[in-house]
């Protein structure tokens, strides 16, 4: 079968009973207790509660499944978050499940859920079709509203938030990073949805210190395109290259939307301990 991620050397990936119990209490008391009291509750009662998954590095086998999780849709313009599946994005076939990993995510109010994206360590993919969705009028209205309000899509891989890289010309072409990526964009009164993404993942390894591979970077390059599709037996295959896909997916010109993605893995000299540096620039 498919190799599974190697567990943390710090111990099991699952939460201990003290953390699980405290998490349940926090969920019940959120909104009734002040944030400081909830933060104190998160570390009361057991040393186990001090360990938050994600603090210790995780190693993966080649081909091991890497979870891509989704978080809230956010806007600095409205300050009003929405659940990721408020928009007609592709849903997991087994259903949507909460995927919060630690008390910090509970206390900050993150709404982390699973996704249907299939990512495997060191396995590159091109134009992988996720799903085809029907676009009703209310779907289009929601897309337009969120594009007007500059909403961002927020994803997480191995506790790293997705970052979008931009070139800041004022600083001599230096790269800067933004958390998340835009739902889409408006141009000349027309609305375009980002329905294809290139997932750039960076890995590092050190066989002298540990087995397997660590994730040290996660970038997303969003694109808007109208993909061509063809049927191969019972499977629908998308084609995203320039010869078979038009450059942009204009919302009002379509009654369906196809979501696709690429996965590209790159070796990086960056160590796990410094993988947050790009987010702090």
């Amino acid at each position: 079968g498919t190799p599974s991620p190697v567990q943390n050397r710090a111990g099991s990936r699952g939460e201990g009973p003290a953390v699980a119990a405290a998490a349940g209490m926090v969920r019940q008391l959120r909104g009734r207790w002040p944030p400081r009291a909830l933060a104190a509750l998160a570390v009361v009662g057991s040393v186990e509660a001090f360990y938050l998954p994600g603090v210790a590095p995780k190693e993966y086998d080649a081909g091991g499944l890497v979870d891509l999780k989704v978080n809230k849709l956010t806007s600095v313009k409205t300050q009003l978050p929405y659940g990721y599946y408020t928009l007609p994005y592709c849903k997991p076939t087994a259903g949507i499940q909460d995927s919060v990993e630690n008390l910090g995510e509970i206390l900050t109010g993150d709404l982390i859920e699973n996704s249907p994206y299939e990512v495997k360590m060191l396995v590159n993919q091109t134009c992988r079709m996720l799903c085809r969705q029907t676009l009703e009028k209310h779907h289009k209205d929601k897309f337009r509203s969120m594009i007007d309000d500059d909403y961002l899509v927020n994803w997480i891989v191995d506790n790293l938030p997705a970052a979008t890289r931009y070139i800041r010309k004022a600083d001599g072409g230096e790269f800067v990073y933004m958390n998340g990526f835009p739902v889409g964009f408006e141009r000349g009164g027309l609305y375009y949805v980002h329905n294809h993404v290139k997932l750039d993942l960076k890995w590092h390894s050190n066989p002298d210190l540990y087995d397997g591979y660590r994730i040290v970077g996660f970038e997303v390059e969003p694109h808007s395109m109208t993909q061509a599709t063809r049927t191969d037996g019972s499977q629908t295959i998308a084609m995203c290259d320039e010869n078979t896909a038009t450059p942009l997916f204009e919302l009002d010109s379509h009654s369906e939307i196809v979501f696709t993605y690429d996965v590209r893995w790159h070796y990086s000299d960056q160590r796990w301990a410094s993988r947050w540096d790009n987010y702090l620039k």
Side-chain angles (χ1 to χ4, degrees):
T2 301
S4 299
V6 178
Q7 290 188 343
N8 289 343
R9 294 182 181 275
S12 170
R13 294 177 61 202
E15 294 177 343
V19 174
M25 294 176 67
V26 168
R27 290 190 182 98
Q28 293 177 17
L29 295 173
R30 187 192 294 146
R32 289 186 283 168
W33 281 23
R36 288 184 180 179
L38 291 176
L41 174 63
V43 293
V44 167
S46 170
V47 174
E48 280 186 285
F50 284 95
Y51 173 69
L52 299 179
V55 173
K58 182 189 298 184
E59 292 86 38
Y60 297 85
D61 291 331
L65 186 64
V66 177
D67 290 332
L68 189 156
K69 301 179 181 182
V70 299
N71 203 344
K72 296 176 294 189
L73 304 171
T74 55
S75 166
V76 295
K77 183 182 290 187
T78 68
Q79 298 294 319
L80 180 64
Y82 284 90
Y84 176 78
Y85 293 106
T86 299
L87 289 174
Y89 289 131
C90 305
K91 298 178 181 179
T93 54
I96 301 169
Q97 300 175 356
D98 290 340
S99 296
V100 174
E101 289 195 352
N102 58 56
L103 290 178
E105 293 170 349
I106 296 172
L107 293 171
T108 56
D110 283 341
L111 181 60
I112 299 174
E113 297 167 314
N114 59 332
S115 82
Y117 288 88
E118 187 174 284
V119 180
K120 296 180 180 180
M121 174 59 72
L122 303 184
V123 178
N124 292 332
Q125 302 182 71
T126 301
C127 198
R128 179 77 180 267
M129 182 164 173
L130 199 60
C131 77
R132 184 198 305 270
Q133 297 280 71
T134 299
L135 286 174
E136 305 288 351
K137 180 181 181 300
H138 68 276
H139 293 142
K140 295 183 179 183
D141 290 342
K142 198 66 178 178
F143 268 123
R144 288 192 203 93
S145 174
M146 289 201 168
I147 291 171
D148 282 336
D149 287 330
D150 299 331
Y151 270 87
L152 299 176
V153 178
N154 297 286
W155 289 347
I156 299 170
V157 164
D158 194 51
N159 288 288
L160 274 180
T164 305
R165 181 164 53 168
Y166 293 93
I167 298 177
R168 188 158 54 189
K169 295 180 180 179
D171 294 332
E174 180 185 359
F175 286 117
V176 294
Y177 292 85
M178 175 184 74
N179 283 0
F181 62 92
V183 168
F185 59 95
E186 180 270 337
R187 183 182 297 168
L190 300 177
Y191 290 81
Y192 303 91
V193 176
H194 286 138
N195 60 331
H196 177 80
V197 291
K198 295 180 179 179
L199 308 178
D200 284 317
L201 293 142
K202 297 178 181 179
W203 62 273
H204 184 80
S205 65
N206 189 335
D208 293 333
L209 297 179
Y210 55 85
D211 297 325
Y213 307 89
R214 292 177 177 176
I215 296 173
V216 295
F218 176 34
E219 297 178 22
V220 175
E221 184 181 306
H223 293 266
S224 176
M225 64 170 64
T226 304
Q227 306 93 328
T229 59
R230 62 181 176 86
T231 302
D232 185 3
S234 60
Q235 186 178 14
T236 301
I237 298 174
M239 295 171 283
C240 306
D241 62 86
E242 294 180 356
N243 295 325
T244 56
T246 55
L248 301 174
F249 182 90
E250 196 272 304
L251 190 60
D252 284 331
S253 299
H254 300 273
S255 59
E256 292 183 326
I257 184 169
V258 173
F259 290 95
T260 52
Y261 64 103
D262 300 342
V263 179
R264 302 181 296 197
W265 289 94
H266 308 275
Y267 172 77
S268 173
D269 290 327
Q270 191 163 32
R271 295 180 300 111
W272 185 90
S274 59
R275 66 180 189 162
W276 280 87
D277 289 358
N278 287 333
Y279 298 88
L280 304 177
K281 289 182 178 179

